[in-house]
Amino acid sequence: MGGIFGVASKSDCSLDLFFGVDYHSHLGTRRGGLAVYTDEKDFVRKIHNIQNSPFRTKFEKDIEEMKGPVGIGCISDYESQPLLAYSHHGKIALTTVGIVTNKDEIVSDLMKQGHAFLEMSNGEINQTELVLAMLNSKSTLIEGIKYVQDTIKGSMTMLIATPDGIFAARDKLGRTPLTIGIKKGEKGSILGHCVSFENFAYLNLGYTDEHILGPAEIDFITADRYEVVQEPQKKMKICTFLWIYYGQPAATYEGVNVEAMRYNCGAYLARRDKDAEIHPDCAAGVPDSGTAHAIGYANEAGIPFTRPFIKYTPTWSRSFMPTNQEQRNMIAHMKLIPVPQLIKDKSLLLIDDSIVRGTQLRETVDYLYGSGAKEVHIRPACPPIMFGCKYLNFSRSKSEMDLIARRVVRQFEGENVSAETLAKYCDPDTPEYAKMQEEIRKQLHFTTLRFHRLDDMLNSTGLNHECLCTYCWNGEE
C-alpha cells in the first residue's frame, strides 16, 4: 500500500508537505520520500528507509534544505519515490500509489520504443519509473496521464509536480482516493492548496476539504486554484477494505467516515447475533482496526466494550508489513499486551478486521484461553477472503492458497475448483459456506465464528454497492 500528498503554496510549502506526508505513515513502513521545487528553480529530492525509525526522524533535518512553493511526497511499501526527471515535458517529480499487474507487457512495448529503465526495487523495474516512461512517451503530460489510465491493469493514482503546480490523477476506477484541500488566511484570502490520499492529513495544517476527485479525474492544482483537466467518469470501484482496515479513523472517503462505517459494521454484526445462543460478557476489538467495529457491536448488543489487549504503540508497527511471515507473527504477538483482569473467566466476543491466513488470530485466541478466558467468540468485520487482490495487493499473499478460506475449500473440493463451486462458498446462505465457516472455526480454535455478510458490510458504507470493489470476497470484477 502507500500514501501520497502534495502542496502548492504562495509561500514555502515544506512544513505542510512534511507533516502531510507523515500523517500517511499508517499506510506503509518501507520508504518515505519528498520532492520540492525550490526557490533556486530546481527540484530537490530526499528518500529514506523508514523500516526501523519513523518518517519524522529521517526527514526533520532534510526539510530545512527543501524550501519552495511546490512539493510532493509519499509513504511507500515498495519502490523508492518520488522520481525526478528532466524530459520534453520539462522538470517534473512523480509519485504514485497502486499496482501494475501487466508490467511485463508495458515494459516490452516501451523498450521497443527505445526506453531504458534504471531504477530497480528488489531486482524489479521501479513501478513509478515505468509510469514515468509512459508519461514521457506522449507529447504532453495530459496525454501521458490518459495513456497510463487506459493502459495499466491494476490501479494507479499519481501526483506530478511541475514548477507551476501539481497534476493530480485518480485511478481510472477510483480504487484509491484523492481529495483537494484549500488553506485560507485573513479575510478569506487563499494561501494555498494541497492534495491528499487521506483527507484528515491536512486538517491540522489549516486546510479544509474543497474537492474530491472522481474516478479517472485529472486536476491541475496551483496555490490559487484547481482546474479540472479531465472530467471524472461515472463508474467507480473504490476499495471497500479502505474502510474496514487501511483507513485512519478520522479519514473520509466518498463522504463516508472510516470510524462511523466501522461502528455500522459492528452494529450489523450484533443484529445478526440476536438469533445466536451466545452470551458474551463483553465485546473487544483486536487493536487498532478492530476497535471501532467492537464499539459498534457493544453499543448495539447492550454489552460492555473492554480492552483485554492494549497495543504497545511506541515501537511496534502494523504486523502485516514485514515480508517474512515468521517476523509478522512475532510482531503481532509482541505488540499486544494482555490485561489478565479483563480476560480471566470471561466470555469474550472479539472482532478483528479480517481473517487472512488465520495464523495470528489463532495464536491470539490460544493466548486468551491460556490466560483464563472461558469462551472466545470471533466476528471478523468482513467476509472470508477468497481471492488475492489484483488492485492493491493488501494481503501480501504469494498464493491464494495462503488464504485460510481457500485452503479449506481445497480440503473439501480438491485442487481444481470451478468458479461455480467457489461461488457457493462465497454465498453465506449455502450449506457449503456454513461447512467452510465451521471448519475454519475448528482449525482456529474459536468458540463460535460468524463472518460479516457482504451485503451487511456494503450497507455499512451507505454507498451504492456497485461503487465498491468486492473482488477479494466474491471474485467479481
Side-chain angles (χ1 to χ4, degrees), residues 19 52 64 81 117 131 152 190 195 244 282 294 319 424 440:
F19 288 113
N52 296 315
E64 296 299 323
Q81 51 168 319
F117 297 91
V131 174
I152 281 178
I190 297 175
V195 58
I244 294 293
C282 58
S319 59
K424 293 178 182 177
I440 293 173

Side-chain angles (χ1 to χ4, degrees), residues 73-103:
C74 70
I75 297 289
S76 176
D77 250 351
Y78 297 98
E79 66 278 353
S80 299
Q81 51 168 319
L83 297 185
L84 304 184
Y86 187 71
S87 68
H88 68 275
H89 299 312
K91 296 178 180 179
I92 61 172
L94 169 69
T95 188
T96 68
V97 61
I99 184 171
V100 183
T101 58
N102 59 336
K103 182 187 290 186

Side-chain angles (χ1 to χ4, degrees), residues 443-463:
Q443 289 189 17
L444 301 186
H445 311 157
F446 307 153
T447 305
T448 66
L449 169 65
R450 175 177 270 172
F451 284 96
H452 207 356
R453 289 177 59 107
L454 184 62
D455 51 353
D456 287 349
M457 182 187 68
L458 300 182
N459 287 340
S460 297
T461 68
L463 298 174

Side-chain angles (χ1 to χ4, degrees), residues 343-473:
I343 299 172
K344 186 172 175 57
D345 298 326
K346 300 292 185 182
S347 174
L348 304 172
L349 188 138
L350 191 64
I351 299 183
D352 203 353
D353 53 77
S354 60
I355 299 179
V356 182
R357 297 170 184 84
T359 307
Q360 294 175 8
L361 191 55
R362 182 181 63 223
E363 292 178 354
T364 298
V365 168
D366 286 346
Y367 191 90
L368 287 170
Y369 286 132
S371 299
K374 186 167 57 176
E375 297 176 332
V376 182
H377 306 276
I378 299 296
R379 300 294 182 265
C382 71
I385 297 174
M386 299 291 284
F387 302 89
C389 179
K390 300 193 297 185
Y391 308 110
L392 298 177
N393 199 27
F394 71 82
S395 73
R396 291 187 170 255
S397 296
K398 295 180 180 178
S399 164
E400 288 183 338
M401 290 305 122
D402 288 344
L403 306 170
I404 189 169
R406 288 299 292 273
R407 294 201 305 270
V408 169
V409 172
R410 180 178 62 182
Q411 175 183 327
F412 292 146
E413 304 290 344
E415 291 291 341
N416 298 313
V417 183
S418 68
E420 291 77 12
T421 299
L422 273 178
K424 293 178 182 177
Y425 283 95
C426 295
D427 183 349
D429 295 321
T430 64
E432 288 85 356
Y433 180 96
K435 183 171 69 169
M436 173 190 67
Q437 182 170 256
E438 172 59 14
E439 181 61 24
I440 293 173
R441 183 201 69 77
K442 289 193 295 186
Q443 289 189 17
L444 301 186
H445 311 157
F446 307 153
T447 305
T448 66
L449 169 65
R450 175 177 270 172
F451 284 96
H452 207 356
R453 289 177 59 107
L454 184 62
D455 51 353
D456 287 349
M457 182 187 68
L458 300 182
N459 287 340
S460 297
T461 68
L463 298 174
N464 187 320
H465 292 191
E466 293 183 357
C467 296
L468 300 163
C469 181
T470 60
Y471 178 81
C472 61
W473 299 298

